[in-house]
């Protein structure tokens, strides 16, 4: 199978979405001049070009695309060619209303925006296959082509009649009998038993709470339907260009796709990443997505989109202060990216995203944003030979699973304040702040490469996953589990005792009496720290080697944290510094050390291959001890013993 290295060929890809259909011809020549000067070596064409390529049903207008492909080739700029299927032309919805998705409350999503397609529509799929076929036949052998980009950020839901029919087919294949479905969904409660498959609907908006089993299966179904759309187009382009890798860009930590499964179907795993420049935790949330994408890719990955400056979809859209775009780009490379790309090359003057930045903004070539892009292009070219294709090695894995997320994220739960992504972020952030580099893994992945496995929260676990965790600990691994782990099985059926019995035994818990979720601003005092968000009324079974008790209140004296051997259970969300210190202590016990000792909080250090990235996420300069002598690949100078990094400064050090 081809991979990212077939596109990078030892370089770091640098460029972005290029949508020149918006511009007059002379702008294209200006674009190429600026791209060359900035070191751009990759553009993504055609992401939203469907109505240009197929202005009326069945028509084909490849003139502009021919010109662009040839122009890029002439200038040695590779093309990531997209299938345009994320935004069907207006004629499709007009002539074929069955291609339009329907929301949970029965509203049709009309054309006039984008992503207005029903994954279950046979008509949509037929048109998508046809345009993909013709694009692939025409450009599959074009020398500019380096990669296929299928659709864009698959993210649609459909609750309409076609989706209902497809959902029933999906359910029949899964359950075979209605009895099995009724049993799995627990339909005996609230008189929901089905007597015919035709009675089953997507979980459309009901009077009161929905059936959780139905919602869970609908989320699985939706991810599967979108995946079918992806693989159908992937297989077409592969037939025409078997040696060209195929990707589809994920949204970061997006709930709609089981990205573990999806990643297994892609040649290149790519993601779009837009942390808020004003968010003090922006670098940390970026690191999470980067670690997760690298783990899905099992190696180098592609940053398909980021913003050179502001986006236009937050309430208030802040530009990136000087130096931040470079810093966050180098952070992505440090954490395994072999491509640093943007939405989009040239900022639009019209259309819904005219206030979204581009690599060339409205201020043009002289604008600060573009000047910083140029500098970044030069930096990436300098470091590429030493980092492209290299791996990041982590000794800690954080477990994450979409199924568990979907099962746990439903209405009618103990606390609507508890959001799975927030819990995941809090734990990953604590590890980031302890300067510990982490992979992510699915609960059934091979965990033997890791000295420590962290489970922030896996509400639902299969029996096989529980066995896997127990085996990991038996074989000498250190396991740290957060609250609400192992509560339910894969049908979202609560385990007897409110938590899997084998896990309770693993941690030394006899009885989980009650969950005590905490209100906003409320904390639970524990020995040495405060817990937030959640607490639990646990009774130990006397086998734990260490417990940290709750202090005061209803839970006074009961265990907040238990350790039995190498298995830890944390029944609350410790405040950030406390969680950081706890995890740092456990990691040290498991023999896992930070990349560098004594790092200040705002400095990130990651080793990729032989190369050490040191990144200052602060506006104030900082001096960092780096034992030995290194060559800073960014400046070409030698560094011995210590290095001073300026505002948002970075060093890329080779021993
Ligand atoms: C992404 C999308 C791009 C662009 C960008 C703006 O979600 O793939 O086409 O809309 O957001 O931030």
């Amino acid at each position: 199978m081809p991979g990212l290295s077939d596109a990078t060929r030892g370089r770091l890809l640098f460029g972005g979405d290029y949508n020149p259909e918006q511009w007059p011809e002379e702008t294209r020549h200006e674009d190429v001049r600026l791209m060359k000067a900035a070191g751009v070596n990759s553009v993504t064409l055609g992401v939203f070009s469907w109505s240009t390529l197929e202005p009326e049903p069945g028509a084909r207008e490849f003139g502009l695309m021919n010109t662009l492909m040839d122009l890029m080739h002439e200038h040695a700029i590779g093309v990531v060619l997209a299938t345009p299927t994320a935004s069907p032309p207006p004629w499709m919805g007009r002539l074929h209303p069955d291609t339009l998705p329907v929301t949970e409350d029965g509203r049709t999503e009309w054309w006039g925006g984008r992503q207005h397609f029903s994954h279950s529509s046979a008509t949509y799929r037929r048109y998508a296959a046809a345009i993909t076929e013709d694009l692939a036949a025409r450009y599959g052998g074009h020398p500019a082509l380096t990669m296929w980009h299928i659709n864009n950020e698959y993210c649609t839901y459909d609750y309409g009649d076609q989706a209902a029919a497809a959902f029933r087919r999906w359910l029949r294949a899964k359950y075979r009998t209605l009895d099995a479905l009724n049993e799995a969904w627990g339909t005996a409660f609230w008189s929901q038993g089905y007597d015919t498959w035709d009675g089953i609907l997507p979980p459309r908006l009901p009077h009161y709470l929905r059936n959780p089993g139905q919602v869970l299966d609908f989320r699985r179904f939706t991810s599967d339907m979108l995946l079918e759309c992806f693989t159908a187009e992937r297989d077409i382009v592969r037939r025409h260009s078997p040696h060209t890798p195929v990707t589809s860009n994920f949204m970061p930590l997006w709930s709609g796709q089981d990205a573990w499964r999806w990643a297994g179907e892609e040649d290149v795993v790519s993601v779009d990443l837009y942390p808020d420049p004003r968010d003090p935790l922006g670098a940390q949330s970026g690191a999470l997505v980067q670690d997760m994408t690298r783990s899905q890719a099992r190696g180098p990955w592609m940053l398909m989109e980021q913003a050179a400056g502001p986006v236009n979809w937050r309430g208030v859209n802040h530009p990136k202060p000087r130096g931040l775009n470079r810093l966050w780009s180098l952070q992505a490379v440090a954490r395994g990216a072999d491509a640093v790309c943007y939405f989009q090359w040239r900022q639009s003057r019209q259309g819904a995203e005219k206030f979204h930045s581009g690599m060339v903004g409205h201020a043009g070539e002289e604008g600060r944003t573009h000047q910083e892009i140029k500098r970044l292009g030069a930096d990436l070219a300098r470091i590429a030979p030493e980092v492209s294709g290299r791996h990041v090695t982590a000794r800690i894995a954080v477990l994450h699973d979409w199924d568990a997320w979907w099962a746990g994220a439903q209405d009618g739960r103990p606390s609507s304040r508890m959001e799975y992504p927030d819990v995941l972020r809090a734990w990953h952030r604590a590890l980031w702040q302890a300067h510990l580099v982490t992979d992510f893994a699915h609960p059934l992945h091979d965990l033997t490469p890791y000295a420590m496995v962290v489970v922030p929260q896996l509400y639902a676990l299969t029996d096989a996953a529980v066995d896997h965790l127990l085996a990991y600990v038996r074989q000498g691994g250190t396991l740290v589990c957060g609250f609400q782990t192992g509560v339910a099985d894969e049908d979202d059926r609560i385990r007897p005792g409110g938590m899997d019995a084998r896990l309770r035994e693993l941690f030394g818990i006899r009885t989980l009496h009650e969950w005590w979720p905490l209100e906003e601003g409320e904390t639970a005092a524990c020995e040495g720290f405060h817990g937030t968000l959640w607490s639990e009324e646990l009774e130990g079974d006397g086998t734990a080697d260490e417990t940290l008790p709750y202090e005061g209140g209803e839970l006074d004296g009961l265990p907040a944290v238990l350790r039995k051997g190498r298995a830890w259970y944390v029944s609350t969300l410790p405040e950030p510094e406390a969680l950081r210190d706890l995890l740092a202590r456990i990691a040290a016990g498991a023999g896992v050390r930070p990349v560098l000792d004594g790092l200040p909080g705002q400095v990130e250090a990651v080793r990729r291959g032989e190369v050490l990235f040191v990144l200052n996420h602060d506006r104030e300069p900082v001096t960092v001890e780096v034992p030995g002598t290194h060559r800073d690949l960014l400046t070409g100078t030698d560094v011995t013993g210590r290095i001073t990094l300026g505002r948002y400064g970075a060093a890329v050090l080779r021993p």
Side-chain angles (χ1 to χ4, degrees):
M1 278 298 161
L4 185 51
S5 60
D6 293 288
T8 60
R9 288 179 280 111
R11 302 165 304 166
L12 295 170
L13 298 186
F14 180 56
D17 283 17
Y18 184 37
N19 301 306
E21 49 275 82
Q22 309 170 77
W23 301 97
E25 190 184 337
E26 50 286 10
T27 310
R28 291 207 288 275
H29 300 288
E30 173 72 356
D31 284 337
V32 170
R33 181 182 72 76
L34 292 177
M35 284 178 188
K36 294 306 286 180
V40 165
N41 56 24
S42 177
V43 294
T44 303
L45 290 179
V47 179
F48 294 111
S49 298
W50 203 343
S51 74
T52 311
L53 295 167
E54 188 173 0
E56 53 187 79
R60 294 291 182 263
E61 291 289 347
F62 286 126
L64 177 60
M65 190 59 89
N66 290 341
T67 307
L68 295 170
M69 294 291 291
D70 293 347
L71 184 68
M72 292 302 128
H73 180 55
E74 193 185 315
H75 293 278
I77 298 171
V79 173
V80 177
L81 185 55
T83 64
T85 53
S87 191
W91 55 255
M92 196 180 302
R94 181 172 55 82
L95 298 176
H96 307 286
D98 58 303
T99 59
L100 300 170
V102 174
T103 60
E104 59 178 359
D105 54 353
R107 186 173 54 78
T108 299
E109 292 190 332
W110 300 101
W111 61 92
R114 65 178 192 190
Q115 277 136 343
H116 47 281
F117 66 89
S118 162
H119 49 60
S120 298
S121 161
T123 313
Y124 164 75
R125 288 194 186 195
R126 196 170 57 245
Y127 276 111
I131 190 72
T132 300
E133 180 75 41
D134 289 355
L135 267 181
R138 189 169 272 264
Y139 302 112
H142 195 286
L145 179 72
T146 58
M147 202 185 302
W148 286 106
H149 174 303
I150 304 293
N151 201 281
N152 188 71
E153 294 186 338
Y154 277 105
C155 61
T156 53
Y157 288 88
D158 186 12
Y159 295 76
D161 291 342
Q162 291 182 97
F167 188 37
R168 287 178 205 126
R169 280 195 297 276
W170 185 94
L171 291 168
R172 285 181 99 126
K174 175 171 179 180
Y175 292 109
R176 308 267 170 215
T177 69
L178 271 179
D179 283 351
L181 177 139
N182 280 316
E183 163 65 26
W185 287 9
T187 57
F189 192 67
W190 281 3
S191 167
Q192 292 173 346
Y194 290 98
D195 65 334
T196 163
W197 293 99
D198 291 341
I200 300 172
L201 292 172
R204 292 177 182 165
L205 204 60
H207 175 73
Y208 186 43
L209 300 177
R210 291 172 238 231
N211 179 297
Q214 181 188 8
V215 173
L216 176 57
D217 271 339
F218 186 70
R219 309 228 45 186
R220 293 169 172 149
F221 155 80
T222 300
S223 177
D224 282 4
M225 285 297 105
L226 293 171
L227 186 57
E228 270 186 24
C229 292
F230 167 75
T231 54
E233 294 185 27
R234 178 204 64 191
D235 292 348
I236 293 170
V237 300
R238 269 193 188 157
R239 222 174 344 96
H240 291 277
S241 45
H243 305 298
T244 304
V246 186
T247 190
S248 181
N249 47 343
F250 291 142
M251 286 196 273
L253 196 57
W254 163 243
S255 73
Q257 289 161 293
D258 178 346
W260 290 124
R261 284 198 53 207
W262 277 68
E265 301 286 347
E266 296 184 299
D267 301 323
V268 170
V269 181
S270 63
V271 76
D272 301 342
L273 182 55
Y274 294 95
D276 186 346
R278 272 288 180 96
D279 180 357
L281 305 176
Q284 297 160 24
S285 60
L288 180 152
V289 171
Q290 293 156 7
D291 288 349
M292 192 175 287
T293 311
R294 182 187 68 248
S295 305
Q296 286 155 0
R298 296 176 182 264
W301 53 279
M302 177 166 191
L303 178 55
M304 182 67 84
E305 292 180 19
Q306 60 173 341
V311 299
N312 70 326
W313 40 261
R314 293 197 168 93
V316 178
N317 297 292
H318 298 285
K320 285 183 167 163
R322 182 172 45 80
L324 192 65
N325 177 39
R326 174 176 181 263
L327 180 70
W328 284 0
S329 300
L330 291 171
Q331 181 193 34
V333 176
R335 292 181 178 268
D338 269 0
V340 174
C341 299
Y342 292 81
F343 174 83
Q344 61 179 326
W345 163 254
R346 184 181 282 279
Q347 183 170 12
S348 300
R349 290 181 57 202
Q350 290 179 290
E353 295 187 317
K354 60 186 182 296
F355 294 119
H356 191 293
S357 58
M359 298 168 80
V360 183
H362 290 156
E365 180 176 2
E366 298 307 322
R368 173 177 65 80
T369 302
H370 183 69
Q371 290 303 312
E372 290 194 42
I373 285 285
K374 265 176 92 167
R375 180 176 173 208
L376 175 62
D379 285 335
L380 294 177
R382 259 180 229 120
I383 66 173
E386 305 281 348
V387 298
S388 177
R390 311 302 201 283
H391 284 246
V392 176
T393 306
R395 300 200 57 222
I396 300 177
V398 177
L399 301 194
H400 163 65
D401 176 27
W402 269 267
D403 246 25
W405 182 0
W406 293 333
Q410 306 220 19
D411 292 337
R413 60 204 150 114
S415 170
S416 59
R417 289 194 61 235
M418 193 189 63
E419 297 289 355
Y420 173 80
D422 295 343
V423 175
L424 193 68
R425 277 192 203 100
W427 282 72
H428 183 271
R429 181 180 311 141
L431 291 157
W432 190 91
Q433 283 171 337
H435 306 293
L436 295 163
V437 178
T438 55
D439 281 347
F440 279 84
H442 181 274
L444 288 176
H445 282 173
D446 178 15
L447 301 175
T448 52
Y450 302 107
M452 175 169 162
V453 165
V454 174
V455 182
Q457 180 173 90
L458 289 173
Y459 161 83
L461 282 174
T462 61
D463 286 344
V466 173
D467 287 344
H468 195 53
L469 293 180
L470 298 180
Y472 172 73
V473 177
R474 253 198 327 272
Q475 287 155 16
T478 294
L479 176 71
V480 193
C481 281
F483 56 87
Q484 285 250 298
T485 290
V487 171
D489 67 13
E490 62 270 35
D491 293 331
D492 191 15
R493 187 183 289 104
I494 303 297
R495 300 266 184 189
M499 179 183 184
D500 185 277
R502 289 162 304 163
L503 287 179
R504 274 186 278 133
E505 193 193 332
L506 180 73
F507 303 122
I509 299 169
R510 172 174 295 125
T511 310
L512 196 176
H513 290 286
E514 291 288 356
W515 294 310
W516 289 80
L518 302 174
E519 295 286 349
E520 175 96 55
E522 191 185 3
T523 59
C526 309
E527 188 179 301
F529 69 95
H530 282 86
T532 65
L533 197 63
W534 190 265
S535 57
E536 289 180 353
E537 185 177 345
L538 296 173
E539 186 183 325
D541 64 9
T543 59
D545 296 304
E546 192 178 338
T547 57
L548 298 176
Y550 287 105
E551 289 183 333
E554 272 302 306
L555 307 181
D556 188 37
L558 297 179
V561 178
L562 299 106
R563 178 182 69 80
K564 183 169 158 187
R566 283 178 296 273
W568 294 75
Y569 184 71
V570 184
S571 71
T572 180
L573 183 65
E575 285 181 325
E577 295 73 31
L579 187 57
R580 176 198 63 199
D581 294 348
L582 178 68
L583 292 176
R585 170 157 87 87
I586 299 174
V592 185
R593 304 203 54 80
V595 174
L596 288 178
D597 284 323
L599 280 179
Q602 73 277 26
V603 176
E604 174 177 1
V606 184
R607 205 177 290 284
R608 182 167 178 197
E610 291 281 284
V611 172
L612 177 65
F613 286 74
V614 189
L615 310 166
N616 176 20
H617 290 286
D618 204 59
R619 286 167 189 263
E620 297 304 318
V622 66
T623 298
V624 179
E625 308 290 324
V626 186
T629 297
H630 294 82
R631 166 64 54 96
D632 184 348
L633 300 173
L634 291 170
T635 60
T637 56
D638 283 342
V639 173
T640 303
R642 61 178 50 193
I643 186 164
T644 298
L645 302 171
R647 160 199 168 113
Y648 298 139
V652 181
L653 304 174
R654 190 194 58 204

